[in-house]
Every structure is written in structure tokens, then in C-alpha cells.
Amino acid sequence: ICDQLKKHESLRKIITTLALKNEEIQNFICCLKQSLDNLEANSNQVQEDLESEFSSLHAVLYELKEGMVTRIKQERASRTYELQSQLSACTKALESSEELLELANQTLCSPENDSFNQAAKEIKDSVTMAPAFRLSLKAKASDSMNHMMVDFTQERNMLQAIKFLPVPATPEIHLAECQVFDNTVTVVWTLPEPDSKIEHYILEYRRTNHDGPPRAREDYPWMVVEGIKETEYTLTNLRFDTRYMTFRVKACNKAVAGEFSEPVTLETHAFVFKLDAGSAHQNLKVEDLSVEWDSSGGKVAVQDIRKEKNRTSSPMHSPARTAMMSPKRAPSARVGRDRFTAESYTVLGDTMIDAGQYYWEVRYDKESKAFAAGVALRSLGRFDQLGKSNASWCIHLNNWLQQSLTAKHNNKARTLDCPIPDRIGIYCNYEEGTLSFYNSRTKALLHTFRTKFQQPVIPAFMVWNGSFSVQTGLQVPSIVLSGQKRNSNTSSSNASLT
């Protein structure tokens, strides 16, 4: 029987391997078919673009030719007019001069002295006033048109040098220079060699829970950032709700884009959790990461309870578990008789902290009659109020008679002398036993508990006659980390609260 079971197991492994290989081949076939379709469409497109460019070039040359021909015609007409005018004037002067010459010859042959003297005087006066002696015998316009000659040798060489625009080189992303901090990601890349024709870069990124190269099927689409002028770019105000982000970049010149770089995957480690509606007091209306006080004591819908049970009963396949392998998902929901009750208007997160350091923020309505946020042991009793047992640590807002902010643990409280913020940042370092609260806007330290966590802890919240919302997927701010180092020996502790 054992041998048969082993054979069955071996055969199942072979079947699984073959199925995966078949799926891989099918994906590749789909990619090849898509590439063929893309090739046809892209070839037609570049041919149309080429014909359009040559038509445009022909139009420019034709327009240039027409303009130059017009200038030649205008120059010829202007010079023709000047030379014809000068020719007409010279012809008339010559005719007048020939008539005067003939008259002078006739007079010279005349025998009568009296008429000769009179005729000679008239001829002399006529010669003095003759047009032939007032003419300029230099042409007013040149017959040379050398200044209208052209030499297109250089332009012809340029036209003959026309070729396809070179595709920009593929950039390379430098993983060692990329940075992930303060919920931002800075990506740095270079080209193999400088290219003055590069106009901009296109960066694409997508969230993923897989390390390494992109997969054929991903749950998240590529996001596009266009028009990047430099060789680096910083994405800001991110929420890291997956474990990694994959990046790729390509260079673009005036007409064409190059190939995408080899993708790089950066780890975007952050604390991701949801609120466990199954643990919430009946008066708390819970929706993922927001809570609203419901004085009617409305119960969670049956389908919501089933959804929570199904989600938490399979922690290995839950979104939070997939995104973050540690901290660990809570093993079970506090449904039914484990729900908080009486005056413990509490709800817990669905993810435990048993190692590392994490940060999350909570924004609450300052008009709430009471509000608290912190961490608790999973064993926190269903009647226990936050801060009133040794199983929870919190910062507490009392807005009943006089507004006050206190740090609470083990039923002891310390009043905090500071402005009351509407948004609180919570930092937990499990190994060091540090739990700090900050004004999330200014990062001013409100209070620090120092203890030794004997068991895993879980985010915990309380609200009475009010509402709040939680923001997860945040990294520990660098200013908080540096402040923790500076204040490690001077921060307040829970010594006076225990």
C-alpha cells in the first residue's frame, strides 16, 4: 500500500509539472500570436508614416522650387524692362544723329556762303543738343544670371543620407541606487551611452506579491508615468498593500520608443492589516478599516460573519497573509461569544505582530465621547477595556466632561500634556518592547511604553459615540526611526503605569 501511495504521489507530481508546462506553453503561444498581429499592424503603421513623411518632403521641395522659379522670372522681367528701355532710347538717338549727319554733309556741299553760314550755325546748335551726346553707353542691367544659380550638393547628400531613425537604446535600472523609504520609491537608470536625441522616458510599475521577473498573469495592472526628463523618478504618497513593486523604463526620441529595460522588483515592506469585524462590539459598525458607533447595537450581517470566518479560517490564502508573511494573521476570528461586550467597545486588527517593527495610523473624530488606540494580547478578555488590564497598552481620549489625552496600561493612566491631534501614528518594535504614539502630521512624540512582550500583540481600538479610520500599508517613517534612536534612553516608560 505504501509503495502504491508513493507511486500515486509521484504521478500527481508529474501531472502537476506537465500541467504547469502546458500552461506555460499556452501562454507563450498566445504571446506569439499577439506578436504576429502586432507585427502586421506596426508594419502598416510605419509604412504609412514613411509615405506621409516623403509626401511632406515632396511638398516642401515643390514649394521651394516654385518660390525660386518665381524669383528668377521676376529678376528676368526687371532686367528686360531696363535693357529694352535703354535700347529704345539709343535707337531714337541714333536716328536723330543720322539725320543731323546727313544735313551737315549737304550743307558742306552747298556753294552759297550766306546760307552755308546760317546752316552751319544751326547744325552746331543741334549737335550740342543732340540726344546721342547725352546717352550713357553702359548697359543699365547685366545679362548675367549667375547669382540665381544653385548648388544642391549638400542638400542632395543630406537627402541621400536619410535613413530610419535609430531606436533608442534600452535603459538599465540600477537596483543598488533605487531606494524605498517613507512610502516613496526612487528609481534610477542610465543608458549604455549618451544619446542627445532622447526627449523623455516612460516608467511603468505595478504592485505584485512575487519576487523576480513579471509573470504572464498578474492581479495588478501596469501603471504608467510619461514625460520624465531625467534618469530618475520618485513615486510619492504610496500605500504598500503588496509585498513588492516591479519597475521597467524605456527611452523615447522624437518619433519612436525603445525597448523596456529588464524589470526590477523592489521590496515594499509595510504593515498591512484589516479590522476583525468578528471581534467588534455589537455597537461598532465595521467596514474594512473604518468604524462607526451604532447606538442601535446593530449586528453584523450573517453573510459578513461568514465572509470573515472563511477569510480567517484560511490564513495562508488571505490578502494580508499573501502580502506580508510576517507579522502573522490571527489564527481565528473572535466570533460569537468571543465578541467584545458590555462597556468594552473594542475591535481588534486581524494580523498579529510577533517580530519586527511596524507603523500604522488612525484618524478619529475628535468629537467622539471616548477613543483609544494601541495594541493588545490576543487573550484580551471580552469584558476588558483597553488599558485597564495588563493585556493592553493604549493612548486614550476622554471627551466626556473635559477633553484629555492619557496613556493607559494595567488600569493606570498618565495624563499627556500636549495638543490633542486628530490623527495618531502608532509604532511598535516587538523585539525591543517599544510602543510609541505620534502626532502623525508633525511626528511629535506623544508617549512611549517600554515593556517586554511575552506574547504576540495585535492592533486594538476602542470608540464610544464616535468614529475612526485606520491607514495601513505604511512604512516606519525615517523621522520616527531616528527619533527612536535618540530617545531610547530618555523616553517615558510604563514603569509608573504598572
Side-chain angles (χ1 to χ4, degrees):
I1 295 177
C2 290
D3 186 55
Q4 189 175 3
L5 289 175
K6 289 181 180 179
K7 288 182 178 179
H8 274 284
E9 181 64 25
S10 178
L11 184 58
R12 276 196 294 267
K13 289 181 179 180
I14 293 173
I15 292 173
T16 301
T17 302
L18 286 175
L20 291 174
K21 177 55 69 174
N22 287 348
E23 183 180 2
E24 184 179 350
I25 294 174
Q26 288 175 353
N27 287 339
F28 184 63
I29 290 174
C30 290
C31 290
L32 289 177
K33 290 182 178 179
Q34 185 63 49
S35 294
L36 286 172
D37 293 339
N38 292 344
L39 178 62
E40 182 71 19
N42 292 337
S43 298
N44 292 335
Q45 184 61 51
V46 295
Q47 184 173 342
E48 291 176 5
D49 292 344
L50 181 65
E51 292 176 352
S52 175
E53 287 294 332
F54 269 97
S55 297
S56 176
L57 185 59
H58 291 159
V60 171
L61 290 173
Y62 181 79
E63 184 178 354
L64 181 62
K65 172 188 172 183
E66 288 298 306
M68 297 180 77
V69 168
T70 299
R71 286 183 58 192
I72 291 174
K73 290 179 179 180
Q74 290 174 343
E75 185 73 11
R76 181 176 63 190
S78 174
R79 294 192 181 194
T80 298
Y81 175 78
E82 290 184 353
L83 290 175
Q84 285 181 343
S85 297
Q86 193 175 16
L87 176 62
S88 177
C90 288
T91 300
K92 290 181 180 179
L94 179 60
E95 291 175 354
S96 175
S97 179
E98 286 178 345
E99 290 177 356
L100 185 59
L101 178 61
E102 183 179 356
L103 178 60
N105 286 331
Q106 292 176 357
T107 302
L108 185 62
C109 296
S110 175
E112 298 180 7
N113 290 334
D114 293 338
S115 59
F116 175 80
N117 290 336
Q118 182 63 31
K121 183 177 182 303
E122 291 178 358
I123 291 172
K124 180 181 178 181
D125 292 340
S126 296
V127 169
T128 302
M129 301 299 295
F133 293 96
R134 297 197 304 271
L135 287 174
S136 171
L137 300 182
K138 181 179 179 181
K140 291 184 178 181
S142 172
D143 58 357
S144 173
M145 293 292 285
N146 289 339
H147 66 293
M148 290 291 187
M149 297 297 291
V150 295
D151 179 11
F152 287 151
T153 302
Q154 181 178 356
E155 287 75 9
R156 187 178 296 107
N157 291 336
M158 291 176 61
L159 289 174
Q160 291 173 345
I162 289 177
K163 56 185 179 181
F164 292 109
L165 190 66
V167 176
T170 302
E172 178 185 359
I173 298 178
H174 297 286
L175 188 60
E177 298 183 32
C178 298
Q179 294 182 325
V180 181
F181 64 97
D182 288 341
N183 301 303
T184 68
V185 177
T186 299
V187 185
V188 181
W189 62 88
T190 59
L191 289 172
E193 57 185 37
D195 186 349
S196 60
K197 294 185 178 180
I198 298 299
E199 289 194 341
H200 66 275
Y201 297 90
I202 296 177
L203 176 70
E204 291 191 351
Y205 67 95
R206 69 178 172 192
R207 295 173 170 83
T208 179
N209 286 311
H210 306 288
D211 193 5
R215 302 192 173 193
R217 297 178 181 178
E218 279 282 1
D219 295 332
Y220 299 89
W222 287 104
M223 308 300 290
V224 182
V225 181
E226 297 180 319
I228 303 172
K229 299 297 183 181
E230 305 298 329
T231 56
E232 67 175 63
Y233 188 79
T234 299
L235 293 169
T236 59
N237 299 321
L238 296 174
R239 180 175 180 265
F240 295 143
D241 51 1
T242 57
R243 190 171 181 181
Y244 300 97
M245 289 179 70
T246 301
F247 296 85
R248 63 185 186 182
V249 65
K250 62 182 177 181
C252 305
N253 57 29
K254 184 178 181 180
V256 67
E259 297 293 330
F260 274 112
S261 64
E262 285 295 323
V264 300
T265 303
L266 302 177
E267 185 173 7
T268 53
H269 189 63
F271 187 31
V272 179
F273 67 89
K274 291 185 178 181
L275 296 175
D276 182 6
S279 71
H281 190 281
Q282 292 279 357
N283 287 99
L284 301 184
K285 183 180 179 181
V286 180
E287 292 185 3
D288 287 338
L289 292 172
S290 63
V291 174
E292 186 174 356
W293 169 264
D294 183 3
S295 60
S296 65
K299 297 182 179 181
V300 180
V302 174
Q303 59 267 31
D304 290 340
I305 293 179
R306 289 175 179 171
K307 186 188 300 181
E308 289 294 324
K309 290 179 68 177
N310 292 336
R311 180 166 60 83
T312 54
S313 62
S314 301
M316 291 303 296
H317 298 91
S318 65
R321 179 65 176 176
T322 304
M324 308 296 297
M325 297 305 292
S326 179
K328 299 175 181 177
R329 291 295 306 276
S332 63
R334 298 169 57 107
V335 184
R337 61 193 183 97
D338 286 333
R339 183 188 294 275
F340 290 104
T341 188
E343 295 184 357
S344 181
Y345 305 113
T346 302
V347 60
L348 300 179
D350 66 353
T351 307
M352 293 189 300
I353 299 174
D354 59 2
Q357 48 186 330
Y358 302 98
Y359 178 86
W360 62 99
E361 294 183 353
V362 55
R363 182 172 186 172
Y364 60 93
D365 181 4
K366 293 179 71 174
E367 300 301 318
S368 302
K369 294 302 180 182
F371 169 79
V375 299
L377 302 181
R378 188 68 188 175
S379 59
L380 184 68
R382 61 197 295 257
F383 294 96
D384 291 344
Q385 299 180 41
L386 291 186
K388 290 194 174 183
S389 72
N390 61 0
S392 61
W393 299 257
C394 72
I395 195 169
H396 181 273
L397 170 72
N398 185 359
N399 200 24
W400 181 239
L401 297 177
Q402 183 177 355
Q403 194 175 64
S404 64
L405 195 65
T406 57
K408 288 187 174 184
H409 171 67
N410 203 20
N411 207 25
K412 295 183 179 181
R414 172 182 292 176
T415 302
L416 304 181
D417 184 16
C418 61
I420 298 177
D422 62 352
R423 193 180 185 100
I424 294 175
I426 303 171
Y427 166 80
C428 180
N429 187 322
Y430 187 85
E431 285 82 4
E432 294 185 0
T434 300
L435 179 66
S436 295
F437 299 87
Y438 292 84
N439 180 325
S440 68
R441 300 187 188 279
T442 64
K443 298 302 183 288
L445 180 65
L446 304 176
H447 183 76
T448 295
F449 290 104
R450 296 196 182 279
T451 186
K452 185 175 182 180
F453 298 120
Q454 301 294 336
Q455 303 176 35
V457 296
I458 197 164
F461 308 89
M462 182 279 293
V463 67
W464 176 47
N465 282 322
S467 61
F468 69 88
S469 62
V470 182
Q471 185 173 10
T472 69
L474 303 177
Q475 292 185 306
V476 181
S478 55
I479 190 173
V480 168
L481 290 175
S482 60
Q484 286 292 322
K485 292 178 181 179
R486 287 196 309 269
N487 300 325
S488 59
N489 297 322
T490 58
S491 297
S492 60
S493 70
N494 64 348
S496 62
L497 305 181
T498 56

